[in-house]
Amino acid sequence: MSSPPPAPAVFPPAALCSARARLGGLVLAAILDALLADPARHHPVAGFGGVAARVEATSYRDSRLAGTLHTALLIAAVTLPAAVTDRRLARRLTHPSGPGPDRGPDRGPAGGAAIAARVGRPSAVPLLLATAGLGWVVLGGTSLRRAGRRIGTALADGDLAGARTLLPTLCGRDPANLDESALARGAIESIAENTCDAVVAPLWWGAVAGLPGLAAYRAVNTLDAMIGHHSPRYERFGSCAARLDDLANLIPARIGAFAACVCAPLVGGNPVDAYWVLRRDGRSHPSPNAGPVEAAFAGALGLRLGGELRYPYRVEHRPQLGFGRAPTGTDIAAAARLSAATGAVSLAVTVLAAAAASTLRALVTSRTLRRSRQPRRPRHTRHTRQVPQAQHGRG
């Protein structure tokens, strides 16, 4: 008695497998960042910044066109290789290695099923590991919080000189004449803004666009930090990088702001107060993305942020955010805890939303394919009876 032919292997759609691999890689990247922080030496982002500085020495012109070409060249230099790698790893899920059903001795439906069973499930591990590795390089939440805590420790110890030395590791303000409250305010505002830049936005773009999304966002954000200033040198040259960074953070900043409101009880705040400050003061900030996040942090922490900001090239007077007291050095640790909680909630929201979207897309795709493979019913044509015409001949 012959054994029945093996059942055909049923795998999830390739798009669903690649989406799961990317989301799993983002979760693993967040774990690696929490455990290892940024690489102490030879950080790839620092290497990209060094290359960008050398290119700028040649490409700089005091014009928007030169800045646009400079920005586009550097973004493409890291995005295109990431896109090629992402595509190749994703294609492995569609075309696994091994003989195909139309080649070799195992031809036909039964032979194809046997080959599928022998080859096995297409592996998503390479794509997962690539996403985790690049995500770990792009994320920077742990290093951000550590830098903030060091400033808080120096202020708690009364070491104003040490805190002034450490502040440039977080932001570009001139710390020379800042007192304890101004130093604490600068650290907290930088932690709030960079929670979006270093955590929420990379996770969002990694979930939306995979490896090229991670690479492109980090390139845009790094160029904005280098040349996206309102200074005489970069007012025109850096305008493209600044606008691209505003666009890239438009959605992630709102996710981070709402997540900060949700996490307010973890630092002794009230979600309603945080949301009220977000709605009232978020739009008054000159930055369309830093404003909502900083306002949400101010409301959650019960602090008053904003005011005068001194940079080496200019002085800005920003609107007040929040209705609480002025910050002190002890508030920086609470801001770091809020940043960590905001990143965790944003990761959960991004992963769940992306997983739901990919599952829905896979269901729609599979249903469409199933309908296209169903045999079409033959159309019933009406046969009309043809009456032979009388032949007229000569009589």
Side-chain angles (χ1 to χ4, degrees):
M1 184 176 179
S2 60
S3 59
V10 179
F11 302 133
L16 183 58
C17 291
S18 60
R20 290 175 178 175
R22 292 187 181 99
L23 296 180
L26 291 177
V27 174
L28 183 57
I31 295 173
L32 290 174
D33 179 66
L35 295 176
L36 305 176
D38 288 334
R41 300 176 59 185
H42 308 297
H43 197 299
V45 177
F48 172 80
V51 172
R54 289 193 292 272
V55 172
E56 181 188 339
T58 303
S59 64
Y60 177 80
R61 303 289 186 279
D62 188 15
S63 71
R64 288 185 172 86
L65 177 59
T68 300
L69 295 176
H70 172 82
T71 302
L73 173 65
L74 290 169
I75 294 174
V78 296
T79 304
L80 292 179
V84 171
T85 303
D86 188 275
R87 181 176 179 81
R88 288 182 177 178
L89 295 178
R91 282 179 61 86
R92 289 188 179 184
L93 302 177
T94 309
H95 305 286
S97 59
D102 297 329
R103 296 188 299 272
D106 297 324
R107 296 181 179 179
I115 291 173
R118 186 164 62 250
V119 172
R121 180 186 297 271
S123 176
V125 172
L127 182 58
L128 184 147
L129 293 179
T131 304
L134 184 57
W136 173 51
V137 169
V138 169
L139 291 173
T142 299
S143 297
L144 168 68
R145 295 188 292 273
R146 288 180 180 176
R149 290 191 182 102
R150 284 195 290 268
I151 297 176
T153 301
L155 290 176
D157 295 339
D159 185 8
L160 285 180
R164 288 169 180 156
T165 303
L166 292 171
L167 186 64
T169 61
L170 278 181
C171 58
R173 304 179 191 182
D174 183 6
N177 299 315
L178 300 182
D179 58 7
E180 178 186 358
S181 180
L183 289 168
R185 177 166 60 86
I188 293 171
E189 290 174 354
S190 298
I191 290 174
E193 179 180 3
N194 286 294
T195 296
C196 176
D197 294 348
V199 183
V200 183
L203 294 173
W204 167 261
W205 285 109
V208 169
L211 297 179
L214 288 169
Y217 174 77
R218 181 47 64 212
V220 169
N221 189 250
T222 303
L223 290 173
D224 175 66
M226 295 179 66
I227 64 176
H229 310 303
H230 291 290
S231 63
R233 176 178 174 86
Y234 294 122
E235 185 68 36
R236 295 165 59 84
F237 185 78
S239 61
C240 177
R243 298 291 83 77
L244 282 178
D245 186 74
D246 289 341
L247 183 63
N249 285 295
L250 195 62
I251 296 176
R254 275 72 190 167
I255 296 175
F258 285 114
C261 295
V262 172
C263 298
L266 299 178
V267 291
N270 188 316
V272 176
D273 293 342
Y275 180 72
W276 185 80
V277 174
L278 167 63
R279 290 295 303 271
R280 188 193 71 172
D281 300 337
R283 296 180 182 178
S284 63
H285 197 282
S287 171
N289 299 318
V293 183
E294 291 183 16
F297 268 62
L301 296 168
L303 300 176
R304 185 176 66 255
L305 302 178
E308 184 181 87
L309 280 71
R310 290 187 171 273
Y311 293 98
Y313 45 84
R314 64 184 294 174
V315 177
E316 294 184 9
H317 296 274
R318 294 183 178 177
Q320 177 179 301
L321 305 176
F323 53 85
R325 57 179 174 81
T328 62
T330 56
D331 296 315
I332 299 178
R337 292 197 306 272
L338 182 60
S339 173
T342 299
V345 171
S346 300
L347 172 63
V349 170
T350 301
V351 168
L352 291 177
S358 60
T359 302
L360 180 61
R361 190 184 308 115
L363 290 175
V364 172
T365 303
S366 62
R367 180 173 295 182
T368 304
L369 290 175
R370 211 164 34 240
R371 288 180 177 177
S372 64
R373 291 174 181 174
Q374 289 179 352
R376 296 182 179 181
R377 296 180 179 179
R379 295 181 179 180
H380 298 284
T381 58
R382 298 179 62 182
H383 298 282
T384 58
R385 185 179 178 181
Q386 296 181 357
V387 180
Q389 297 179 357
Q391 297 182 358
H392 301 280
R394 294 181 180 179

